Amino acid sequence: MVGNGKPLKDIIFVIKHLTCAGHQERPVNQQIIHFDSQRDGECLLFHRGSAVLRRKRDHHVVAQIHSPAIIGLNSTAGTEPWQHYYLQATSPLTLERIGALYLHEAISKYNLWEPVCRILSWNINQLCLTTLRLSQSIAPESWK
């Protein structure tokens, strides 16, 4: 783990087991990356580069993402949350889209439950911190 507790070893381990050679995309700096609403959930493997996650309604930056990373791991049960967000590359990226069905099969096949749990726990912690930061930035003075 590093300063923010990002479980790098687990992320690298899981990415290694999920990678399908030849299915990588290479968005350029500032390119918009949309989540595929036609699929039954997907996650994105960030092999190289960085991006920001933006809210569609106001284009507000919600999170910064630096490789290695797995985006959408916690939402492969449905695509609903991702219809409100998009990614924007902040450097050249190498990423890979993994469908929920393949993801779930690979987690079982390679017994990835433990590292996936640690990644999801970290994701939840980051979500809580982001929510707190956003709520403090928009809360009326009387709430503070």
Side-chain angles (χ1 to χ4, degrees):
M1 290 197 214
V2 293
N4 66 356
K6 185 175 181 178
L8 283 175
K9 287 182 182 178
D10 292 317
I11 292 169
I12 292 166
F13 183 76
V14 171
I15 286 175
K16 179 180 132 195
H17 284 86
L18 296 178
T19 295
C20 305
H23 294 90
Q24 295 181 356
E25 299 174 25
R26 289 184 169 71
V28 296
N29 191 20
Q30 300 304 312
Q31 185 173 339
I32 303 297
I33 303 133
H34 293 283
F35 297 96
D36 189 348
S37 61
Q38 302 304 309
R39 297 178 85 164
D40 294 329
E42 70 176 350
C43 71
L44 303 177
L45 309 179
F46 275 49
H47 295 282
R48 183 180 63 88
S50 58
V52 290
L53 180 67
R54 291 184 179 272
R55 227 177 6 215
K56 282 185 180 177
R57 69 179 158 97
D58 60 4
H59 309 288
H60 183 79
V61 173
V62 176
Q64 295 181 353
I65 301 141
H66 305 282
S67 65
I70 304 173
I71 309 305
L73 186 62
N74 53 336
S75 65
T76 56
T79 58
E80 176 65 25
W82 295 116
Q83 72 180 353
H84 303 290
Y85 299 94
Y86 66 93
L87 292 163
Q88 184 175 21
T90 55
S91 74
L93 283 172
T94 302
L95 65 87
E96 188 172 357
R97 293 177 189 266
I98 302 294
L101 181 60
Y102 175 77
L103 173 70
H104 297 154
E105 289 172 354
I107 289 171
S108 291
K109 179 179 178 179
Y110 299 115
N111 196 25
L112 300 173
W113 302 106
E114 204 171 318
V116 165
C117 264
R118 284 191 291 268
I119 295 166
L120 287 172
S121 293
W122 182 77
N123 285 349
I124 290 167
N125 184 56
Q126 293 303 111
L127 179 62
C128 288
L129 292 173
T130 299
T131 303
L132 179 63
R133 189 175 63 248
L134 287 172
S135 67
Q136 288 175 344
S137 71
I138 61 170
E141 194 60 37
S142 62
W143 293 5
K144 295 180 182 178

PDB file of all heavy atoms in Angstrom, residues 2-38:
ATOM      1  N   VAL A   2       0.294   2.319  -0.525  1.00  0.00           N
ATOM      2  CA  VAL A   2       0.995   3.596  -0.546  1.00  0.00           C
ATOM      3  C   VAL A   2       0.288   4.581   0.364  1.00  0.00           C
ATOM      4  O   VAL A   2      -0.618   4.215   1.098  1.00  0.00           O
ATOM      5  CB  VAL A   2       1.095   4.142  -1.996  1.00  0.00           C
ATOM      6  CG1 VAL A   2       1.984   3.252  -2.826  1.00  0.00           C
ATOM      7  CG2 VAL A   2      -0.259   4.276  -2.631  1.00  0.00           C
ATOM      8  N   GLY A   3       0.662   5.840   0.282  1.00  0.00           N
ATOM      9  CA  GLY A   3       0.156   6.880   1.165  1.00  0.00           C
ATOM     10  C   GLY A   3      -1.341   6.890   1.400  1.00  0.00           C
ATOM     11  O   GLY A   3      -1.785   7.039   2.514  1.00  0.00           O
ATOM     12  N   ASN A   4      -2.139   6.747   0.373  1.00  0.00           N
ATOM     13  CA  ASN A   4      -3.589   6.795   0.560  1.00  0.00           C
ATOM     14  C   ASN A   4      -4.180   5.410   0.819  1.00  0.00           C
ATOM     15  O   ASN A   4      -5.384   5.248   0.841  1.00  0.00           O
ATOM     16  CB  ASN A   4      -4.274   7.451  -0.648  1.00  0.00           C
ATOM     17  CG  ASN A   4      -4.137   6.644  -1.915  1.00  0.00           C
ATOM     18  OD1 ASN A   4      -3.478   5.610  -1.948  1.00  0.00           O
ATOM     19  ND2 ASN A   4      -4.771   7.115  -2.964  1.00  0.00           N
ATOM     20  N   GLY A   5      -3.331   4.424   1.004  1.00  0.00           N
ATOM     21  CA  GLY A   5      -3.801   3.076   1.301  1.00  0.00           C
ATOM     22  C   GLY A   5      -4.228   2.276   0.082  1.00  0.00           C
ATOM     23  O   GLY A   5      -4.786   1.196   0.221  1.00  0.00           O
ATOM     24  N   LYS A   6      -3.987   2.792  -1.107  1.00  0.00           N
ATOM     25  CA  LYS A   6      -4.376   2.091  -2.331  1.00  0.00           C
ATOM     26  C   LYS A   6      -3.717   0.714  -2.344  1.00  0.00           C
ATOM     27  O   LYS A   6      -2.492   0.607  -2.265  1.00  0.00           O
ATOM     28  CB  LYS A   6      -3.941   2.907  -3.559  1.00  0.00           C
ATOM     29  CG  LYS A   6      -4.394   2.329  -4.880  1.00  0.00           C
ATOM     30  CD  LYS A   6      -4.022   3.272  -6.020  1.00  0.00           C
ATOM     31  CE  LYS A   6      -4.484   2.743  -7.356  1.00  0.00           C
ATOM     32  NZ  LYS A   6      -4.160   3.675  -8.446  1.00  0.00           N
ATOM     33  N   PRO A   7      -4.506  -0.336  -2.457  1.00  0.00           N
ATOM     34  CA  PRO A   7      -3.957  -1.700  -2.408  1.00  0.00           C
ATOM     35  C   PRO A   7      -3.305  -2.105  -3.745  1.00  0.00           C
ATOM     36  O   PRO A   7      -3.836  -2.923  -4.505  1.00  0.00           O
ATOM     37  CB  PRO A   7      -5.183  -2.555  -2.081  1.00  0.00           C
ATOM     38  CG  PRO A   7      -6.329  -1.780  -2.673  1.00  0.00           C
ATOM     39  CD  PRO A   7      -5.960  -0.323  -2.522  1.00  0.00           C
ATOM     40  N   LEU A   8      -2.148  -1.526  -4.017  1.00  0.00           N
ATOM     41  CA  LEU A   8      -1.475  -1.726  -5.311  1.00  0.00           C
ATOM     42  C   LEU A   8      -1.199  -3.194  -5.631  1.00  0.00           C
ATOM     43  O   LEU A   8      -1.432  -3.633  -6.761  1.00  0.00           O
ATOM     44  CB  LEU A   8      -0.167  -0.941  -5.349  1.00  0.00           C
ATOM     45  CG  LEU A   8      -0.312   0.554  -5.572  1.00  0.00           C
ATOM     46  CD1 LEU A   8       1.037   1.252  -5.467  1.00  0.00           C
ATOM     47  CD2 LEU A   8      -0.953   0.841  -6.913  1.00  0.00           C
ATOM     48  N   LYS A   9      -0.695  -3.943  -4.666  1.00  0.00           N
ATOM     49  CA  LYS A   9      -0.386  -5.358  -4.932  1.00  0.00           C
ATOM     50  C   LYS A   9      -1.630  -6.122  -5.350  1.00  0.00           C
ATOM     51  O   LYS A   9      -1.590  -6.929  -6.282  1.00  0.00           O
ATOM     52  CB  LYS A   9       0.253  -6.014  -3.707  1.00  0.00           C
ATOM     53  CG  LYS A   9       1.677  -5.588  -3.465  1.00  0.00           C
ATOM     54  CD  LYS A   9       2.268  -6.304  -2.268  1.00  0.00           C
ATOM     55  CE  LYS A   9       3.683  -5.821  -2.009  1.00  0.00           C
ATOM     56  NZ  LYS A   9       4.276  -6.463  -0.839  1.00  0.00           N
ATOM     57  N   ASP A  10      -2.742  -5.858  -4.678  1.00  0.00           N
ATOM     58  CA  ASP A  10      -3.997  -6.534  -5.021  1.00  0.00           C
ATOM     59  C   ASP A  10      -4.490  -6.112  -6.398  1.00  0.00           C
ATOM     60  O   ASP A  10      -4.946  -6.942  -7.188  1.00  0.00           O
ATOM     61  CB  ASP A  10      -5.075  -6.233  -3.971  1.00  0.00           C
ATOM     62  CG  ASP A  10      -4.760  -6.872  -2.632  1.00  0.00           C
ATOM     63  OD1 ASP A  10      -4.327  -8.033  -2.606  1.00  0.00           O
ATOM     64  OD2 ASP A  10      -4.955  -6.200  -1.605  1.00  0.00           O
ATOM     65  N   ILE A  11      -4.410  -4.821  -6.690  1.00  0.00           N
ATOM     66  CA  ILE A  11      -4.866  -4.315  -7.991  1.00  0.00           C
ATOM     67  C   ILE A  11      -4.042  -4.930  -9.115  1.00  0.00           C
ATOM     68  O   ILE A  11      -4.591  -5.428 -10.108  1.00  0.00           O
ATOM     69  CB  ILE A  11      -4.809  -2.772  -8.022  1.00  0.00           C
ATOM     70  CG1 ILE A  11      -5.852  -2.190  -7.073  1.00  0.00           C
ATOM     71  CG2 ILE A  11      -5.010  -2.249  -9.444  1.00  0.00           C
ATOM     72  CD1 ILE A  11      -5.724  -0.703  -6.814  1.00  0.00           C
ATOM     73  N   ILE A  12      -2.729  -4.947  -8.960  1.00  0.00           N
ATOM     74  CA  ILE A  12      -1.852  -5.522  -9.983  1.00  0.00           C
ATOM     75  C   ILE A  12      -2.129  -7.013 -10.147  1.00  0.00           C
ATOM     76  O   ILE A  12      -2.207  -7.530 -11.273  1.00  0.00           O
ATOM     77  CB  ILE A  12      -0.373  -5.251  -9.634  1.00  0.00           C
ATOM     78  CG1 ILE A  12      -0.081  -3.748  -9.767  1.00  0.00           C
ATOM     79  CG2 ILE A  12       0.563  -6.076 -10.510  1.00  0.00           C
ATOM     80  CD1 ILE A  12       1.233  -3.300  -9.135  1.00  0.00           C
ATOM     81  N   PHE A  13      -2.324  -7.709  -9.048  1.00  0.00           N
ATOM     82  CA  PHE A  13      -2.606  -9.148  -9.070  1.00  0.00           C
ATOM     83  C   PHE A  13      -3.913  -9.436  -9.817  1.00  0.00           C
ATOM     84  O   PHE A  13      -3.972 -10.310 -10.687  1.00  0.00           O
ATOM     85  CB  PHE A  13      -2.668  -9.675  -7.632  1.00  0.00           C
ATOM     86  CG  PHE A  13      -2.882 -11.154  -7.520  1.00  0.00           C
ATOM     87  CD1 PHE A  13      -1.836 -12.037  -7.758  1.00  0.00           C
ATOM     88  CD2 PHE A  13      -4.118 -11.653  -7.157  1.00  0.00           C
ATOM     89  CE1 PHE A  13      -2.033 -13.405  -7.653  1.00  0.00           C
ATOM     90  CE2 PHE A  13      -4.326 -13.024  -7.043  1.00  0.00           C
ATOM     91  CZ  PHE A  13      -3.283 -13.911  -7.290  1.00  0.00           C
ATOM     92  N   VAL A  14      -4.963  -8.678  -9.505  1.00  0.00           N
ATOM     93  CA  VAL A  14      -6.260  -8.895 -10.151  1.00  0.00           C
ATOM     94  C   VAL A  14      -6.191  -8.517 -11.633  1.00  0.00           C
ATOM     95  O   VAL A  14      -6.691  -9.257 -12.488  1.00  0.00           O
ATOM     96  CB  VAL A  14      -7.378  -8.124  -9.408  1.00  0.00           C
ATOM     97  CG1 VAL A  14      -8.682  -8.159 -10.187  1.00  0.00           C
ATOM     98  CG2 VAL A  14      -7.577  -8.702  -8.005  1.00  0.00           C
ATOM     99  N   ILE A  15      -5.566  -7.397 -11.952  1.00  0.00           N
ATOM    100  CA  ILE A  15      -5.432  -6.991 -13.355  1.00  0.00           C
ATOM    101  C   ILE A  15      -4.708  -8.071 -14.152  1.00  0.00           C
ATOM    102  O   ILE A  15      -5.109  -8.405 -15.269  1.00  0.00           O
ATOM    103  CB  ILE A  15      -4.718  -5.627 -13.484  1.00  0.00           C
ATOM    104  CG1 ILE A  15      -5.661  -4.495 -13.072  1.00  0.00           C
ATOM    105  CG2 ILE A  15      -4.221  -5.397 -14.910  1.00  0.00           C
ATOM    106  CD1 ILE A  15      -5.014  -3.112 -13.056  1.00  0.00           C
ATOM    107  N   LYS A  16      -3.658  -8.639 -13.581  1.00  0.00           N
ATOM    108  CA  LYS A  16      -2.899  -9.694 -14.258  1.00  0.00           C
ATOM    109  C   LYS A  16      -3.802 -10.873 -14.641  1.00  0.00           C
ATOM    110  O   LYS A  16      -3.692 -11.421 -15.732  1.00  0.00           O
ATOM    111  CB  LYS A  16      -1.766 -10.174 -13.341  1.00  0.00           C
ATOM    112  CG  LYS A  16      -0.925 -11.280 -13.911  1.00  0.00           C
ATOM    113  CD  LYS A  16       0.160 -11.698 -12.932  1.00  0.00           C
ATOM    114  CE  LYS A  16       0.134 -13.190 -12.830  1.00  0.00           C
ATOM    115  NZ  LYS A  16       0.848 -13.728 -11.709  1.00  0.00           N
ATOM    116  N   HIS A  17      -4.741 -11.210 -13.770  1.00  0.00           N
ATOM    117  CA  HIS A  17      -5.634 -12.341 -14.040  1.00  0.00           C
ATOM    118  C   HIS A  17      -6.797 -11.984 -14.959  1.00  0.00           C
ATOM    119  O   HIS A  17      -7.399 -12.869 -15.559  1.00  0.00           O
ATOM    120  CB  HIS A  17      -6.155 -12.919 -12.725  1.00  0.00           C
ATOM    121  CG  HIS A  17      -5.148 -13.738 -12.004  1.00  0.00           C
ATOM    122  ND1 HIS A  17      -4.221 -13.190 -11.142  1.00  0.00           N
ATOM    123  CD2 HIS A  17      -4.880 -15.059 -12.045  1.00  0.00           C
ATOM    124  CE1 HIS A  17      -3.444 -14.135 -10.676  1.00  0.00           C
ATOM    125  NE2 HIS A  17      -3.812 -15.278 -11.209  1.00  0.00           N
ATOM    126  N   LEU A  18      -7.121 -10.708 -15.077  1.00  0.00           N
ATOM    127  CA  LEU A  18      -8.259 -10.299 -15.906  1.00  0.00           C
ATOM    128  C   LEU A  18      -7.870  -9.872 -17.310  1.00  0.00           C
ATOM    129  O   LEU A  18      -8.723  -9.815 -18.194  1.00  0.00           O
ATOM    130  CB  LEU A  18      -9.002  -9.138 -15.228  1.00  0.00           C
ATOM    131  CG  LEU A  18      -9.671  -9.426 -13.894  1.00  0.00           C
ATOM    132  CD1 LEU A  18     -10.318  -8.167 -13.354  1.00  0.00           C
ATOM    133  CD2 LEU A  18     -10.693 -10.546 -14.023  1.00  0.00           C
ATOM    134  N   THR A  19      -6.601  -9.557 -17.519  1.00  0.00           N
ATOM    135  CA  THR A  19      -6.163  -9.014 -18.800  1.00  0.00           C
ATOM    136  C   THR A  19      -6.324 -10.026 -19.930  1.00  0.00           C
ATOM    137  O   THR A  19      -5.942 -11.175 -19.805  1.00  0.00           O
ATOM    138  CB  THR A  19      -4.693  -8.557 -18.698  1.00  0.00           C
ATOM    139  OG1 THR A  19      -4.638  -7.479 -17.774  1.00  0.00           O
ATOM    140  CG2 THR A  19      -4.160  -8.100 -20.034  1.00  0.00           C
ATOM    141  N   CYS A  20      -6.897  -9.522 -21.021  1.00  0.00           N
ATOM    142  CA  CYS A  20      -7.057 -10.306 -22.249  1.00  0.00           C
ATOM    143  C   CYS A  20      -6.244  -9.596 -23.325  1.00  0.00           C
ATOM    144  O   CYS A  20      -6.680  -8.564 -23.836  1.00  0.00           O
ATOM    145  CB  CYS A  20      -8.514 -10.364 -22.682  1.00  0.00           C
ATOM    146  SG  CYS A  20      -9.642 -10.978 -21.445  1.00  0.00           S
ATOM    147  N   ALA A  21      -5.100 -10.117 -23.649  1.00  0.00           N
ATOM    148  CA  ALA A  21      -4.221  -9.463 -24.627  1.00  0.00           C
ATOM    149  C   ALA A  21      -4.983  -9.143 -25.911  1.00  0.00           C
ATOM    150  O   ALA A  21      -5.756  -9.945 -26.412  1.00  0.00           O
ATOM    151  CB  ALA A  21      -3.031 -10.360 -24.927  1.00  0.00           C
ATOM    152  N   GLY A  22      -4.764  -7.930 -26.420  1.00  0.00           N
ATOM    153  CA  GLY A  22      -5.371  -7.535 -27.689  1.00  0.00           C
ATOM    154  C   GLY A  22      -6.652  -6.750 -27.568  1.00  0.00           C
ATOM    155  O   GLY A  22      -7.173  -6.260 -28.553  1.00  0.00           O
ATOM    156  N   HIS A  23      -7.202  -6.611 -26.382  1.00  0.00           N
ATOM    157  CA  HIS A  23      -8.459  -5.889 -26.207  1.00  0.00           C
ATOM    158  C   HIS A  23      -8.255  -4.516 -25.570  1.00  0.00           C
ATOM    159  O   HIS A  23      -9.164  -3.957 -24.997  1.00  0.00           O
ATOM    160  CB  HIS A  23      -9.409  -6.702 -25.322  1.00  0.00           C
ATOM    161  CG  HIS A  23      -9.853  -7.974 -25.956  1.00  0.00           C
ATOM    162  ND1 HIS A  23      -9.170  -9.146 -25.801  1.00  0.00           N
ATOM    163  CD2 HIS A  23     -10.901  -8.252 -26.757  1.00  0.00           C
ATOM    164  CE1 HIS A  23      -9.782 -10.101 -26.476  1.00  0.00           C
ATOM    165  NE2 HIS A  23     -10.834  -9.578 -27.061  1.00  0.00           N
ATOM    166  N   GLN A  24      -7.083  -3.977 -25.671  1.00  0.00           N
ATOM    167  CA  GLN A  24      -6.787  -2.711 -25.011  1.00  0.00           C
ATOM    168  C   GLN A  24      -7.130  -1.511 -25.900  1.00  0.00           C
ATOM    169  O   GLN A  24      -7.024  -1.581 -27.109  1.00  0.00           O
ATOM    170  CB  GLN A  24      -5.313  -2.662 -24.606  1.00  0.00           C
ATOM    171  CG  GLN A  24      -4.981  -3.713 -23.565  1.00  0.00           C
ATOM    172  CD  GLN A  24      -3.535  -3.671 -23.118  1.00  0.00           C
ATOM    173  OE1 GLN A  24      -2.731  -2.908 -23.636  1.00  0.00           O
ATOM    174  NE2 GLN A  24      -3.203  -4.498 -22.149  1.00  0.00           N
ATOM    175  N   GLU A  25      -7.561  -0.431 -25.233  1.00  0.00           N
ATOM    176  CA  GLU A  25      -7.831   0.841 -25.897  1.00  0.00           C
ATOM    177  C   GLU A  25      -6.733   1.810 -25.479  1.00  0.00           C
ATOM    178  O   GLU A  25      -6.164   1.680 -24.406  1.00  0.00           O
ATOM    179  CB  GLU A  25      -9.190   1.402 -25.456  1.00  0.00           C
ATOM    180  CG  GLU A  25     -10.359   0.508 -25.783  1.00  0.00           C
ATOM    181  CD  GLU A  25     -11.663   1.042 -25.200  1.00  0.00           C
ATOM    182  OE1 GLU A  25     -11.786   2.273 -24.971  1.00  0.00           O
ATOM    183  OE2 GLU A  25     -12.570   0.235 -24.968  1.00  0.00           O
ATOM    184  N   ARG A  26      -6.479   2.795 -26.322  1.00  0.00           N
ATOM    185  CA  ARG A  26      -5.446   3.782 -26.017  1.00  0.00           C
ATOM    186  C   ARG A  26      -5.976   5.199 -26.236  1.00  0.00           C
ATOM    187  O   ARG A  26      -5.595   5.869 -27.182  1.00  0.00           O
ATOM    188  CB  ARG A  26      -4.203   3.517 -26.863  1.00  0.00           C
ATOM    189  CG  ARG A  26      -3.490   2.253 -26.401  1.00  0.00           C
ATOM    190  CD  ARG A  26      -2.206   1.998 -27.139  1.00  0.00           C
ATOM    191  NE  ARG A  26      -1.425   0.948 -26.512  1.00  0.00           N
ATOM    192  CZ  ARG A  26      -1.731  -0.341 -26.520  1.00  0.00           C
ATOM    193  NH1 ARG A  26      -2.819  -0.751 -27.106  1.00  0.00           N
ATOM    194  NH2 ARG A  26      -0.951  -1.233 -25.928  1.00  0.00           N
ATOM    195  N   PRO A  27      -6.836   5.677 -25.322  1.00  0.00           N
ATOM    196  CA  PRO A  27      -7.312   7.056 -25.427  1.00  0.00           C
ATOM    197  C   PRO A  27      -6.158   8.039 -25.245  1.00  0.00           C
ATOM    198  O   PRO A  27      -5.220   7.773 -24.504  1.00  0.00           O
ATOM    199  CB  PRO A  27      -8.305   7.186 -24.269  1.00  0.00           C
ATOM    200  CG  PRO A  27      -8.622   5.785 -23.856  1.00  0.00           C
ATOM    201  CD  PRO A  27      -7.423   4.962 -24.208  1.00  0.00           C
ATOM    202  N   VAL A  28      -6.262   9.162 -25.927  1.00  0.00           N
ATOM    203  CA  VAL A  28      -5.230  10.198 -25.814  1.00  0.00           C
ATOM    204  C   VAL A  28      -5.632  11.207 -24.739  1.00  0.00           C
ATOM    205  O   VAL A  28      -6.768  11.221 -24.269  1.00  0.00           O
ATOM    206  CB  VAL A  28      -4.995  10.904 -27.170  1.00  0.00           C
ATOM    207  CG1 VAL A  28      -4.441   9.931 -28.194  1.00  0.00           C
ATOM    208  CG2 VAL A  28      -6.273  11.556 -27.678  1.00  0.00           C
ATOM    209  N   ASN A  29      -4.690  12.074 -24.374  1.00  0.00           N
ATOM    210  CA  ASN A  29      -4.928  13.089 -23.363  1.00  0.00           C
ATOM    211  C   ASN A  29      -6.170  13.916 -23.698  1.00  0.00           C
ATOM    212  O   ASN A  29      -6.355  14.321 -24.841  1.00  0.00           O
ATOM    213  CB  ASN A  29      -3.693  13.984 -23.237  1.00  0.00           C
ATOM    214  CG  ASN A  29      -3.749  14.876 -22.038  1.00  0.00           C
ATOM    215  OD1 ASN A  29      -4.489  14.621 -21.088  1.00  0.00           O
ATOM    216  ND2 ASN A  29      -2.985  15.941 -22.055  1.00  0.00           N
ATOM    217  N   GLN A  30      -7.020  14.144 -22.731  1.00  0.00           N
ATOM    218  CA  GLN A  30      -8.261  14.920 -22.800  1.00  0.00           C
ATOM    219  C   GLN A  30      -9.418  14.183 -23.489  1.00  0.00           C
ATOM    220  O   GLN A  30     -10.523  14.711 -23.573  1.00  0.00           O
ATOM    221  CB  GLN A  30      -8.047  16.295 -23.450  1.00  0.00           C
ATOM    222  CG  GLN A  30      -7.046  17.169 -22.722  1.00  0.00           C
ATOM    223  CD  GLN A  30      -7.396  17.388 -21.257  1.00  0.00           C
ATOM    224  OE1 GLN A  30      -8.525  17.710 -20.923  1.00  0.00           O
ATOM    225  NE2 GLN A  30      -6.414  17.202 -20.379  1.00  0.00           N
ATOM    226  N   GLN A  31      -9.185  12.995 -23.998  1.00  0.00           N
ATOM    227  CA  GLN A  31     -10.258  12.239 -24.651  1.00  0.00           C
ATOM    228  C   GLN A  31     -11.299  11.800 -23.626  1.00  0.00           C
ATOM    229  O   GLN A  31     -10.967  11.425 -22.507  1.00  0.00           O
ATOM    230  CB  GLN A  31      -9.685  11.019 -25.367  1.00  0.00           C
ATOM    231  CG  GLN A  31     -10.734  10.243 -26.165  1.00  0.00           C
ATOM    232  CD  GLN A  31     -10.102   9.142 -26.996  1.00  0.00           C
ATOM    233  OE1 GLN A  31      -8.915   9.172 -27.303  1.00  0.00           O
ATOM    234  NE2 GLN A  31     -10.903   8.151 -27.356  1.00  0.00           N
ATOM    235  N   ILE A  32     -12.559  11.846 -24.025  1.00  0.00           N
ATOM    236  CA  ILE A  32     -13.674  11.428 -23.181  1.00  0.00           C
ATOM    237  C   ILE A  32     -13.870   9.917 -23.343  1.00  0.00           C
ATOM    238  O   ILE A  32     -13.829   9.391 -24.460  1.00  0.00           O
ATOM    239  CB  ILE A  32     -14.975  12.165 -23.580  1.00  0.00           C
ATOM    240  CG1 ILE A  32     -14.796  13.682 -23.501  1.00  0.00           C
ATOM    241  CG2 ILE A  32     -16.158  11.684 -22.753  1.00  0.00           C
ATOM    242  CD1 ILE A  32     -14.497  14.217 -22.133  1.00  0.00           C
ATOM    243  N   ILE A  33     -14.096   9.252 -22.239  1.00  0.00           N
ATOM    244  CA  ILE A  33     -14.328   7.803 -22.235  1.00  0.00           C
ATOM    245  C   ILE A  33     -15.676   7.570 -21.563  1.00  0.00           C
ATOM    246  O   ILE A  33     -15.859   7.917 -20.391  1.00  0.00           O
ATOM    247  CB  ILE A  33     -13.215   7.061 -21.463  1.00  0.00           C
ATOM    248  CG1 ILE A  33     -11.850   7.381 -22.076  1.00  0.00           C
ATOM    249  CG2 ILE A  33     -13.468   5.563 -21.439  1.00  0.00           C
ATOM    250  CD1 ILE A  33     -10.811   7.737 -21.079  1.00  0.00           C
ATOM    251  N   HIS A  34     -16.611   7.020 -22.311  1.00  0.00           N
ATOM    252  CA  HIS A  34     -17.940   6.730 -21.761  1.00  0.00           C
ATOM    253  C   HIS A  34     -18.009   5.273 -21.360  1.00  0.00           C
ATOM    254  O   HIS A  34     -17.356   4.409 -21.953  1.00  0.00           O
ATOM    255  CB  HIS A  34     -19.028   7.036 -22.793  1.00  0.00           C
ATOM    256  CG  HIS A  34     -19.141   8.492 -23.087  1.00  0.00           C
ATOM    257  ND1 HIS A  34     -19.761   9.379 -22.245  1.00  0.00           N
ATOM    258  CD2 HIS A  34     -18.691   9.227 -24.133  1.00  0.00           C
ATOM    259  CE1 HIS A  34     -19.703  10.590 -22.757  1.00  0.00           C
ATOM    260  NE2 HIS A  34     -19.052  10.529 -23.902  1.00  0.00           N
ATOM    261  N   PHE A  35     -18.822   5.004 -20.358  1.00  0.00           N
ATOM    262  CA  PHE A  35     -19.079   3.630 -19.959  1.00  0.00           C
ATOM    263  C   PHE A  35     -20.077   3.047 -20.946  1.00  0.00           C
ATOM    264  O   PHE A  35     -20.985   3.737 -21.395  1.00  0.00           O
ATOM    265  CB  PHE A  35     -19.607   3.578 -18.528  1.00  0.00           C
ATOM    266  CG  PHE A  35     -18.601   4.083 -17.536  1.00  0.00           C
ATOM    267  CD1 PHE A  35     -18.637   5.395 -17.092  1.00  0.00           C
ATOM    268  CD2 PHE A  35     -17.581   3.257 -17.082  1.00  0.00           C
ATOM    269  CE1 PHE A  35     -17.696   5.876 -16.196  1.00  0.00           C
ATOM    270  CE2 PHE A  35     -16.637   3.734 -16.185  1.00  0.00           C
ATOM    271  CZ  PHE A  35     -16.693   5.036 -15.745  1.00  0.00           C
ATOM    272  N   ASP A  36     -19.917   1.802 -21.298  1.00  0.00           N
ATOM    273  CA  ASP A  36     -20.755   1.155 -22.296  1.00  0.00           C
ATOM    274  C   ASP A  36     -22.098   0.770 -21.682  1.00  0.00           C
ATOM    275  O   ASP A  36     -22.194  -0.213 -20.947  1.00  0.00           O
ATOM    276  CB  ASP A  36     -20.037  -0.077 -22.850  1.00  0.00           C
ATOM    277  CG  ASP A  36     -20.750  -0.685 -24.035  1.00  0.00           C
ATOM    278  OD1 ASP A  36     -21.911  -0.321 -24.303  1.00  0.00           O
ATOM    279  OD2 ASP A  36     -20.150  -1.537 -24.703  1.00  0.00           O
ATOM    280  N   SER A  37     -23.123   1.531 -21.992  1.00  0.00           N
ATOM    281  CA  SER A  37     -24.443   1.280 -21.415  1.00  0.00           C
ATOM    282  C   SER A  37     -25.135   0.066 -22.033  1.00  0.00           C
ATOM    283  O   SER A  37     -26.150  -0.390 -21.516  1.00  0.00           O
ATOM    284  CB  SER A  37     -25.322   2.521 -21.577  1.00  0.00           C
ATOM    285  OG  SER A  37     -25.490   2.809 -22.947  1.00  0.00           O
ATOM    286  N   GLN A  38     -24.605  -0.450 -23.115  1.00  0.00           N
ATOM    287  CA  GLN A  38     -25.196  -1.613 -23.770  1.00  0.00           C
ATOM    288  C   GLN A  38     -24.805  -2.931 -23.101  1.00  0.00           C
ATOM    289  O   GLN A  38     -25.430  -3.952 -23.323  1.00  0.00           O
ATOM    290  CB  GLN A  38     -24.795  -1.658 -25.251  1.00  0.00           C
ATOM    291  CG  GLN A  38     -25.188  -0.427 -26.036  1.00  0.00           C
ATOM    292  CD  GLN A  38     -26.674  -0.126 -25.944  1.00  0.00           C
ATOM    293  OE1 GLN A  38     -27.504  -0.990 -26.170  1.00  0.00           O
ATOM    294  NE2 GLN A  38     -27.015   1.103 -25.581  1.00  0.00           N
TER     295      GLN A  38
END
